[in-house]
Amino acid sequence: MNIVLIGYMGSGKSLVGSHLAKKIDYKFIDLDQYIEKNEGSSISKIFEDSGDIYFRKIETKYLIKCLSENNNIILSLGGGTPCYNDNLTHINSTNNSSIYLKNNNVELSKRLYKSNSNRPLISAIKSEKKMIEFVSKHLFEREVYYNKANVTINCFKKNIDAVCDLIISNLY
């Protein structure tokens, strides 16, 4: 079984994923890093050079490749991955268990404001107030996809170990 972590930017998918992989002896793959390695370019550069539509197309290609060529992995997705193309069908296929790492918009906004220069979608946002406005609207639009995960884990005010333990108890 593959475990697929979905959720908004800043929800901790990569941190939780790498920690969980060690705990249950699975291989960890971060889809964004996998794309960067295979494309030989950063996500920001791919967006800048080729645009959103091209990125979403290759994102789907690499998602399918990761899930079909691997077993017993923890795959951390980008925040938008479940929201495009037919990605949810692949994410929720029989060999996969999807986990939505849920957090509130204010906590996500605080985290993202500290590291917004690394993220193409929010790099131009220059105040915490604007970040909260953006995240609130954007999360509302995306949550319809996130809520289709097999399991939802509320991560608010929980440390990585607690989140991992909740995932394990919901899967096994």
Side-chain angles (χ1 to χ4, degrees), residues 6-76:
I6 67 173
Y8 199 70
M9 293 180 283
S11 63
K13 299 177 299 287
S14 296
L15 284 173
V16 169
S18 62
H19 193 77
L20 182 62
K22 289 176 188 147
K23 249 184 151 156
I24 63 172
D25 199 27
Y26 271 35
K27 179 182 176 186
F28 173 69
I29 300 173
D30 180 289
L31 186 62
D32 283 350
Q33 290 176 359
Y34 186 82
I35 293 168
E36 288 177 342
K37 182 180 171 198
N38 282 279
E39 290 292 306
S41 184
S42 72
I43 299 295
S44 298
K45 189 85 171 113
I46 294 168
F47 264 93
E48 184 183 314
D49 292 347
S50 305
D52 188 50
I53 293 170
Y54 174 78
F55 174 75
R56 296 302 176 190
K57 183 179 172 186
I58 64 166
E59 180 183 53
T60 298
K61 176 181 93 171
Y62 289 120
L63 170 69
I64 294 167
K65 183 176 168 56
C66 268
L67 293 174
S68 64
E69 293 180 357
N70 292 286
N71 228 345
N72 297 332
I73 61 166
I74 297 186
L75 179 62
S76 169

Side-chain angles (χ1 to χ4, degrees), residues 19 23 158-166 168:
H19 193 77
K23 249 184 151 156
K158 291 183 180 74
N159 66 29
I160 292 173
D161 279 320
V163 172
C164 289
D165 290 344
L166 282 170
I168 292 166

Side-chain angles (χ1 to χ4, degrees), residues 9 44 112 115-126 131:
M9 293 180 283
S44 298
L112 292 169
S115 66
N116 69 339
S117 61
N118 306 341
R119 302 174 186 268
L121 200 57
I122 58 170
S123 58
I125 298 174
K126 300 299 180 207
M131 185 66 74

Side-chain angles (χ1 to χ4, degrees), residues 1-5 91-99 150-151 170-171:
M1 171 180 69
N2 296 319
I3 299 170
V4 183
L5 300 179
I91 293 165
N92 285 330
S93 69
T94 51
N95 193 40
N96 306 318
S97 189
S98 57
I99 310 288
N150 303 123
V151 174
N170 273 277
L171 292 178

Side-chain angles (χ1 to χ4, degrees), residues 110-170:
K110 286 178 185 175
R111 291 179 185 180
L112 292 169
Y113 187 70
K114 293 176 188 171
S115 66
N116 69 339
S117 61
N118 306 341
R119 302 174 186 268
L121 200 57
I122 58 170
S123 58
I125 298 174
K126 300 299 180 207
S127 77
E128 280 190 61
K129 183 178 184 256
K130 292 284 186 198
M131 185 66 74
I132 290 172
E133 288 171 10
F134 177 84
V135 169
S136 298
K137 179 183 178 295
H138 207 228
L139 181 58
F140 177 78
E141 293 168 353
R142 288 185 170 185
E143 204 156 33
V144 69
Y145 298 98
Y146 300 157
N147 285 330
K148 293 182 180 175
N150 303 123
V151 174
T152 297
I153 303 293
N154 185 339
C155 300
F156 186 61
K157 296 196 177 188
K158 291 183 180 74
N159 66 29
I160 292 173
D161 279 320
V163 172
C164 289
D165 290 344
L166 282 170
I167 292 170
I168 292 166
S169 69
N170 273 277

